[in-house]
Amino acid sequence: MSNLMNTYLRLPVTFARGEGVWLWDEEGKRYLDALAGVAVCGLGHCHPVLAKTLCEQANTLIHTSNLYHIRKQEQLATRLTGLSGMENAFFCNSGAEANEAAIKLARLYGHGKNIDLPTIIVMEKSFHGRTMATLTASGNRKVQAGFEPLLTGFARVPYNDLEAVAQVAEHNKNVVAILVEPYQGEGGVNVPQASYLQGLRHLCDQNGWLLMLDEVQCGIGRTGNWFAFQYSGITPDVVTLAKGLGSGVPIGACLAKGIAANVFKPGNHASTFGGNPLACSAALATLEVIEEEDLLRNAMEVGDFMRSLFKSQLGDLPDVIDIRGQGLMIGIELSRSCGELVTEALKKGLLINVTSDKVIRLLPPLVIQRSEAEQVVNTLSPIVKEFLAA
């Protein structure tokens, strides 16, 4: 650890192997993973289809660069655009890079409309990454502190507040796009009103803006649909993806449609590693397994089951503010900071996360079964009760 930069407060455990929803540490203790590498390992750990695909691809071709055609990349773009209703894709290596691509695309779009200072509307409590542009776009002061001066070109409004967006439209003629998470993850697993995305789509259409959706955490089956925006019945102009797309192999994507699909030209944007054969093989295998094992349905049904169990065990406690989410994206908001619950759960062999100080965040693999979900609830609920009683 002494040779690693001190950028994480790491938990006192080192994992040696995994299988499905389970991990084992170096001493052989087993843990139920209800975090999935922060919504990354949707297929669980060491899924045989993914492992076989990666081995075969590594023995064939790992990387060439985007100076050449990459067949697997073209196949993945076709697959993702078909599932999403978008038109084309740019591949990169992370969610932050995908959102950087979206931000650059929006600015270039604005300059094409002769707007000298193109502005993107972003939300309070949002999280879009830790590069300079994406941390500026994020509505989280903690990730911004110490990195000033931040970038210009962003207008921030409360999440789930259409009137606030309309007010910006009335007073700021430099707006070119909205960047928003359909469900906020880092901000506390926040779920907007059902008509929120529809309202944003209407405002974008009225004003000639791009609607850009950050589905880095909530996309690729996490909520029980391929994409969270599909619950709203609208189609965005830009969608960003990462986390669950490669099941642990780094890959991000920026999908675009309509006028947004034609903004970038050769030389406008690039990535050395983005969409290489290994990463795209991982993503294609991920999509294949999700479809063949009916994991969208599983995410919806098991997620509903978990929230129902949590409500029956914790819902009547006055210090449990809310139990919310969609699919296997679950948040339990408490009345006070509860970061210590992560360590207490770890002692009991359960991996969880706390975000926004007071929200227990659960993002289990999409392959989790009811019996394993019940074990998560029955392990975590007593820990929460004991914490709140102290």
Side-chain angles (χ1 to χ4, degrees):
M1 292 293 289
S2 61
N3 295 113
L4 294 174
M5 285 193 181
N6 188 27
T7 57
Y8 281 90
L9 291 173
R10 299 176 194 266
L11 291 165
V13 63
T14 301
F15 296 112
R17 67 184 181 91
E19 182 179 341
V21 300
W22 299 98
L23 286 165
W24 285 262
D25 67 18
E26 292 182 322
E27 284 70 49
K29 180 180 176 180
R30 189 174 77 157
Y31 299 79
L32 206 170
D33 186 358
L35 189 60
V38 194
V40 169
C41 303
L43 306 186
H45 300 284
C46 299
H47 192 286
V49 171
L50 180 67
K52 182 174 183 288
T53 298
L54 291 176
C55 288
E56 290 176 352
Q57 188 61 51
N59 279 312
T60 304
L61 185 65
I62 292 177
H63 179 80
T64 58
S65 96
N66 284 297
L67 296 175
Y68 315 103
H69 289 281
I70 300 172
R71 185 66 61 202
K72 290 289 177 70
Q73 188 181 105
E74 294 169 357
Q75 292 170 356
L76 180 57
T78 298
R79 190 84 170 89
L80 287 173
T81 54
L83 292 171
S84 64
M86 307 302 281
E87 291 179 25
N88 58 20
F90 169 81
F91 292 109
C92 51
N93 311 289
S94 68
E97 288 181 59
N99 286 329
E100 282 275 348
I103 290 166
K104 288 181 67 176
L105 188 155
R107 288 189 171 193
L108 193 58
Y109 168 74
H111 284 296
K113 298 174 68 177
N114 297 315
I115 297 174
D116 292 333
L117 299 171
T119 298
I120 301 170
I121 296 176
V122 292
M123 308 301 158
E124 294 175 3
K125 298 184 179 180
S126 62
F127 183 82
H128 299 293
R130 292 182 181 270
T131 61
M132 283 306 301
T134 57
L135 72 83
T136 302
S138 296
N140 183 336
R141 183 58 193 148
K142 287 184 179 180
V143 306
Q144 297 171 340
F147 299 106
E148 298 83 357
L150 302 178
L151 303 185
T152 58
F154 297 95
R156 198 174 313 283
V157 300
Y159 185 66
N160 197 25
D161 187 339
L162 291 173
E163 180 56 32
V165 179
Q167 287 295 316
V168 173
E170 186 176 339
H171 297 102
N172 190 332
K173 301 308 177 185
N174 290 324
V175 173
V176 296
I178 297 173
L179 175 62
V180 62
E181 299 155 279
Y183 300 99
Q184 289 186 330
E186 294 288 332
V189 192
N190 298 315
V191 179
Q193 62 195 32
S195 61
Y196 182 56
L197 290 187
Q198 295 172 353
L200 293 179
R201 176 73 274 176
H202 178 67
L203 286 167
C204 287
D205 291 341
Q206 275 189 323
N207 293 281
W209 303 341
L210 303 179
L211 178 58
M212 308 196 302
L213 301 185
D214 177 346
E215 294 227 15
V216 168
Q217 186 169 140
C218 62
I220 311 299
R222 173 57 47 188
T223 66
N225 259 336
W226 283 110
F227 304 94
F229 75 79
Q230 290 170 329
Y231 286 104
S232 68
I234 61 99
T235 302
D237 300 292
V238 176
V239 180
T240 59
L241 304 168
K243 290 191 181 294
L245 180 57
S247 296
V249 176
I251 183 170
C254 179
L255 312 181
K257 180 181 176 65
I259 193 168
N262 299 308
V263 170
F264 282 150
K265 300 294 188 291
N268 288 147
H269 198 49
S271 171
T272 296
F273 296 106
N276 73 22
L278 187 72
C280 288
S281 292
L284 286 165
T286 297
L287 300 179
E288 174 190 334
V289 172
I290 290 174
E291 191 168 68
E292 290 188 353
E293 297 188 5
D294 203 9
L295 296 184
L296 298 183
R297 179 192 56 79
N298 191 67
M300 177 62 70
E301 292 182 356
V302 177
D304 288 346
F305 175 68
M306 289 182 72
R307 282 189 297 279
S308 176
L309 284 182
F310 274 123
K311 287 176 181 177
S312 68
Q313 296 197 28
L314 300 175
D316 293 336
L317 300 178
D319 288 312
V320 175
I321 305 303
D322 195 17
I323 298 170
R324 57 180 177 260
Q326 183 73 40
L328 287 170
M329 188 174 184
I330 299 170
I332 304 170
E333 183 177 355
L334 305 184
S335 62
R336 59 181 184 267
S337 297
C338 58
E340 66 192 72
L341 293 178
V342 175
T343 302
E344 292 304 310
L346 186 71
K347 293 176 184 176
K348 301 289 186 180
L350 177 65
L351 305 184
I352 65 168
N353 177 242
V354 167
T355 191
S356 195
D357 294 328
K358 301 177 182 180
V359 180
I360 302 166
R361 178 172 52 165
L362 302 172
L363 302 162
L366 306 185
V367 296
I368 191 170
Q369 299 300 300
R370 280 180 175 248
S371 60
E372 297 158 339
E374 192 168 7
Q375 188 170 339
V376 172
V377 177
N378 290 338
T379 302
L380 182 57
S381 295
I383 297 172
V384 173
K385 290 177 181 178
E386 184 176 349
F387 168 76
L388 292 176

